[in-house]
Amino acid sequence: MSPVQRDLMICEFGRRLKLPYPMGLAEMLEESLEIYRQNFALLFGLALIPALLSTAFATIANLWLTLPRVRELELLLIATMVISYTLLLITAFIGYGAQIWAAGQIIVGKSVGFGEAWMAVLKRSGALLLTMLIASFPMLAGLALCCVGVLITAVIFFAVLEQIVLLEGIAYFRAISRHVQLVYPNWEWARVLGFYLASYVIVMLAQILLGWAGMILPFVVEIGREALPLSAQLGIYTLGQLWQQLANAIVLPYWSVFLTLLYFDLRARREGHDLQVLLARWDELVAAQRNFGDMKRGKRGKGQGR
């Protein structure tokens, strides 16, 4: 059997049995879209809560830009802005983690609930945040190699790190070491970088197309600051933030599915994870095939009896 025939066989059986098999870029983009379409309500719902909370936090932070400068309130407004943006980042981070966990369960054929996804991420949120913080230090070392260096180190240390922490249950240096083992060898990082950049461009274009009004509304406030009353300025800022966050809630779950598929793709290529899943399901597949055969024989017997 040639390598091409082997790859075709793996892909065909992977599709039929819903295994996380190795994919090319086009197939991974298409498969991500199909998973996103079939599970839109769950994935959008997981992204919607952080979007609404982020709108509230961003609106509070924007009070610094809209309220008149009052010396007595200046420090309070600055502190409120810092706290709001911090909460915004944490909320978005945990919401993205919930999407990743849900996508991982869907890809391996498990059922997943809305509350289950949130609880799974909240239990691991501390370990996830600390792991990402630790991984940021070697990533920033890439600054010595300018922008290209940051891209390379980000891929080597960050590309699917959240998937490893949430789906494998490991964290800190062990998770970072595991990530490097998956991504770095045999120039695999270059392929991951290409996939990452291609998907990022697609997601950013989609965000711009859907969220263009949310980007324009703040400029409307700046242009008409003198003419607009304070309540109108706050209302326009809030509407712009809500529009942008809803656009993110629609688009970002697709990217979380894509990167989770990329994680399983790396495991399939490095560890034969798709074969491990096949073996784990083997008894179920044999039993299902036997039941299907019994049903066919039963129908044939009834037909002959008539």
Side-chain angles (χ1 to χ4, degrees):
M1 182 184 294
S2 68
V4 174
Q5 290 173 324
R6 182 195 63 202
D7 290 343
L8 286 174
M9 185 185 73
I10 289 172
C11 289
E12 184 60 31
F13 277 97
R15 288 191 194 97
R16 290 185 182 181
L17 302 177
K18 296 183 179 179
L19 300 177
Y21 59 93
M23 300 181 190
L25 176 59
E27 188 176 13
M28 193 175 294
L29 290 168
E30 183 181 350
E31 184 69 15
S32 300
L33 185 60
E34 183 64 20
I35 293 172
Y36 173 68
R37 184 186 65 80
Q38 292 176 356
N39 301 275
F40 175 79
L42 172 64
L43 294 171
F44 177 70
L46 291 172
L48 183 60
I49 290 179
L52 296 176
L53 290 174
S54 297
T55 300
F57 294 142
T59 301
I60 294 171
N62 282 334
L63 291 175
W64 166 254
L65 300 174
T66 53
L67 287 178
R69 297 292 187 266
V70 180
R71 250 177 142 45
E72 292 79 10
L73 297 177
E74 189 169 348
L75 290 177
L76 178 61
L77 287 172
I78 292 174
T80 302
M81 182 181 68
V82 171
I83 293 170
S84 297
Y85 274 122
T86 303
L87 292 173
L88 186 153
L89 291 173
I90 292 173
T91 303
F93 187 73
I94 294 175
Y96 181 62
Q99 297 163 44
I100 288 173
W101 189 87
Q105 305 309 305
I106 293 166
I107 289 168
V108 297
K110 296 180 180 178
S111 60
V112 56
F114 183 85
E116 186 183 4
W118 276 103
M119 289 305 299
V121 175
L122 288 172
K123 288 177 182 177
R124 302 285 300 166
S125 58
L128 179 60
L129 285 168
L130 187 54
T131 302
M132 300 295 283
L133 180 62
I134 294 170
S136 66
F137 290 105
M139 186 200 76
L140 292 175
L143 286 172
L145 303 173
C146 74
C147 296
V148 177
V150 172
L151 281 175
I152 293 172
T153 52
V155 165
I156 292 173
F157 291 102
F158 259 102
V160 293
L161 184 60
E162 288 173 273
Q163 281 79 358
I164 290 173
V165 175
L166 294 174
L167 300 178
E168 297 188 30
I170 58 177
Y172 315 126
F173 294 101
R174 191 172 158 212
I176 296 169
S177 174
R178 165 87 170 133
H179 187 277
V180 174
Q181 289 171 6
L182 278 179
V183 173
Y184 184 70
N186 301 323
W187 288 85
E188 190 67 32
W189 64 267
R191 175 177 164 274
V192 173
L193 177 60
F195 278 39
Y196 197 93
L197 290 177
S199 62
Y200 180 78
V201 169
I202 292 171
V203 167
M204 287 303 298
L205 288 174
Q207 281 183 306
I208 291 170
L209 289 173
L210 291 174
W212 61 271
M215 301 175 189
I216 292 174
L217 287 175
F219 290 105
V220 173
V221 174
E222 291 299 324
I223 293 171
R225 183 179 291 278
E226 299 298 327
L228 291 172
L230 183 60
S231 58
Q233 293 180 36
L234 286 173
I236 293 172
Y237 264 125
T238 303
L239 182 60
Q241 282 293 332
L242 181 60
W243 192 304
Q244 280 189 288
Q245 293 300 332
L246 288 176
N248 292 341
I250 293 172
V251 174
L252 288 181
Y254 171 79
W255 202 30
S256 66
V257 172
F258 178 87
L259 292 179
T260 306
L261 270 178
L262 180 59
Y263 159 76
F264 281 111
D265 172 89
L266 289 167
R267 290 194 62 182
R269 292 174 186 275
R270 295 287 300 164
E271 305 168 347
H273 179 67
D274 50 340
L275 300 179
Q276 296 173 23
V277 175
L278 176 60
L279 290 174
R281 295 184 192 168
W282 188 257
D283 291 339
E284 297 176 15
L285 294 170
V286 171
Q289 188 177 21
R290 188 182 298 116
N291 292 336
F292 181 69
D294 292 341
M295 288 172 62
K296 287 183 69 177
R297 283 194 294 272
K299 289 181 181 178
R300 195 177 302 155
K302 287 181 182 179
Q304 289 174 354
R306 291 178 184 174

